[in-house]
Amino acid sequence: MTRKVCVVITARPSYSRVRTALEAIRDHPDLELQLVVAASALLDRYGGAIKVIESDGFKVDRTVYMIVEGENLVTSAKSTGFGLAELATVFDDLKPDMVITIADRYETIATSIAAAYMNIPLVHLQGGEVTGSIDEKTRHANTKLADVHLVCCESAHKRVQLLGERPERIFLTGCPSIDLARQALEADPADISAIVGRYAGVGPGIDVTQPYVVVMQHPVTTEHDQSRAQAEALIDAVEAADKPTLWFWPNVDAGSDGTSKALRVAREHGKLRRTHFYRNMQPLDFLKVLIGSRGIIGNSSVALRECAYLGVPAVNIGTRQQGRDRGRNVVDVGYGSDDIAAAIERMWTLSERPRDFIYGDGFAGRRIAEVLATADLSIEKMLTYSW
């Protein structure tokens, strides 16, 4: 009997974290993919991920508009509440055999609560990792609500067991984003100029035939009132380094309005003259841009996950990724603009790009589909614990 697998994607990064699993689920003879796109993944100002998803050939079964304007702690909580109410209706309509929730964004807890309270087996992808701030609490809450755990690394596997989950429900699959990294690395050398030319951005044209860097800086929820000052320090560092820069817009988190305002004010005052801004790219294109760069700067998890596999140098700023497993590609710095600028300068002197396979070997998607096709989803067994 075919199992209906409902995957809920709530943000731009969540899609790249699950894309190859979506392909494997769609193509598996014993699985039927149901795709729900929600929250910031629907909004153009945060990259319009739904357009990328549909252009990749996926059928979207439902959309859920749930983001409350404001990008602060109150609106994050309210958005989660709206999502919970709407997703309950969606699950009642679709009647899936299981629901997949991804990682640690605040919207994901709405998916988990709705599925758990409706007795729908919940599958959590990327549980057990440490990231700090509210994201880590959300990730572990998702783990405790989930029935099946698809973890990406050894330390996460151990941590989910320590959280009290039964070993037979925990599967070390690796992360599907590493599948994309493998594909990008194995592809023919990319014409970076052609890639960036396909996307509408803001700012001066950047000659990417010359060495360039990528910036992706998100607000830290527990430091949301400092997001503008932190963005300004990074802006000063990028100005001081004076390198061609591709800057990607922040996620919709508490404090993102402060980050965005800092960028707009800087541009109005003639700063970031060698910087071009982008909302989003196709995941494979983005990874090819990273491979062609001198490195990535900011606090995105891509610096620690995909870039570890790719060997792309990374300057990780501040506390957002505190505690997460990282490879030899990462240099950690604080928020001081001088320290950030010095770390950027060092990227121009690196002669080696070591690779580490912390988050998988590039074949997670098909492992995930096989687990979903064969796992025991009896809700009675799911609710039985052995302490």
Side-chain angles (χ1 to χ4, degrees):
M1 181 175 171
T2 301
R3 290 178 166 183
K4 294 183 287 185
V5 183
C6 182
V7 182
V8 182
I9 297 174
T10 61
R12 175 183 63 189
S14 300
Y15 176 53
S16 64
R17 296 281 186 264
V18 76
R19 177 183 155 182
T20 63
L22 296 179
E23 293 172 340
I25 293 167
R26 179 188 62 192
D27 297 340
H28 197 288
D30 298 324
L31 300 174
E32 175 188 335
L33 176 63
Q34 298 176 326
L35 190 55
V36 177
V37 180
S40 64
L42 297 171
L43 304 180
D44 286 340
R45 68 181 180 279
Y46 295 106
I50 188 171
K51 296 176 183 176
V52 176
I53 293 168
E54 290 177 330
S55 70
D56 282 343
F58 292 105
K59 173 182 172 287
V60 176
D61 293 279
R62 293 289 191 281
T63 56
V64 176
Y65 288 90
M66 55 186 277
I67 295 298
V68 179
E69 292 278 359
E71 291 90 3
N72 57 49
L73 299 179
V74 173
T75 59
S76 295
K78 288 185 175 181
S79 295
T80 303
F82 282 124
L84 172 56
E86 292 297 319
L87 286 166
T89 300
V90 167
F91 297 157
D92 188 50
D93 289 343
L94 294 178
K95 295 181 170 46
D97 295 302
M98 68 190 87
V99 169
I100 295 182
T101 193
I102 305 161
D104 61 355
R105 289 193 52 79
Y106 67 86
E107 312 99 318
T108 63
I109 196 69
T111 302
S112 298
I113 294 172
Y117 272 79
M118 296 175 71
N119 279 345
I120 304 170
L122 178 68
V123 181
H124 185 210
L125 177 60
Q126 292 184 23
E129 298 177 30
V130 174
T131 52
S133 78
I134 187 63
D135 294 345
E136 182 177 320
K137 293 181 180 180
T138 302
R139 189 188 300 267
H140 294 339
N142 284 333
T143 291
K144 293 308 299 180
L145 287 166
D147 304 296
V148 176
H149 312 276
L150 307 177
V151 300
C152 300
C153 56
E154 290 283 356
S155 63
H157 190 281
K158 294 175 182 176
R159 200 169 287 113
V160 171
Q161 289 192 60
L162 290 172
L163 286 168
E165 298 306 299
R166 298 173 69 166
E168 65 268 23
R169 299 182 190 161
I170 310 168
F171 301 87
L172 179 55
T173 60
C175 183
S177 66
I178 304 302
D179 301 6
L180 291 180
R182 176 184 59 80
Q183 294 171 22
L185 200 62
E186 293 176 354
D188 293 334
D191 182 345
I192 304 300
S193 296
I195 289 176
V196 299
R198 290 200 289 268
Y199 297 91
V202 175
I206 301 298
D207 181 6
V208 289
T209 63
Q210 302 299 313
Y212 63 91
V213 292
V214 173
V215 174
M216 185 174 283
Q217 173 85 356
H218 304 300
V220 182
T221 306
T222 50
E223 302 168 2
H224 67 98
D225 56 341
Q226 304 170 48
S227 61
R228 181 170 178 177
Q230 291 168 358
E232 288 171 345
L234 178 54
I235 289 166
D236 289 343
V238 170
E239 277 284 283
D242 196 31
K243 310 295 186 187
T245 302
L246 307 180
W247 196 310
F248 287 82
W249 215 246
N251 286 338
V252 55
D253 292 312
S256 64
D257 53 344
T259 304
S260 301
K261 189 168 185 177
L263 293 172
R264 292 189 180 99
V265 170
R267 291 184 59 241
E268 288 170 2
H269 286 79
K271 292 186 175 182
L272 301 176
R273 292 160 296 179
R274 303 188 71 188
T275 300
H276 202 82
F277 295 90
Y278 293 92
R279 299 280 184 184
N280 200 8
M281 282 187 181
Q282 292 272 0
L284 273 175
D285 283 344
F286 177 63
L287 291 170
K288 290 174 183 178
V289 167
L290 283 175
I291 292 169
S293 73
R294 288 283 180 164
I296 184 171
I297 304 135
N299 60 10
S300 170
S301 62
V302 71
L304 282 67
R305 301 175 75 89
E306 293 93 324
C307 288
Y309 180 90
L310 296 170
V312 173
V315 176
N316 178 60
I317 303 169
T319 61
R320 191 171 190 267
Q321 302 300 335
Q322 189 171 12
R324 192 191 286 271
D325 291 356
R326 62 202 64 210
R328 292 167 290 171
N329 67 309
V330 176
V331 172
D332 292 295
V333 299
Y335 293 111
S337 57
D338 291 344
D339 292 338
I340 300 169
I344 296 172
E345 287 291 342
R346 285 196 294 271
M347 288 179 166
W348 262 252
T349 67
L350 296 176
S351 58
E352 296 183 353
R353 292 166 70 120
R355 299 173 60 204
D356 292 292
F357 306 117
I358 301 169
Y359 295 98
D361 59 2
F363 297 95
R366 65 190 188 191
R367 291 192 191 101
I368 287 171
E370 196 56 36
V371 169
L372 300 180
T374 58
D376 186 347
L377 298 177
S378 166
I379 198 68
E380 291 80 11
K381 289 187 178 180
M382 295 294 182
L383 295 174
T384 302
Y385 287 84
S386 57
W387 295 96

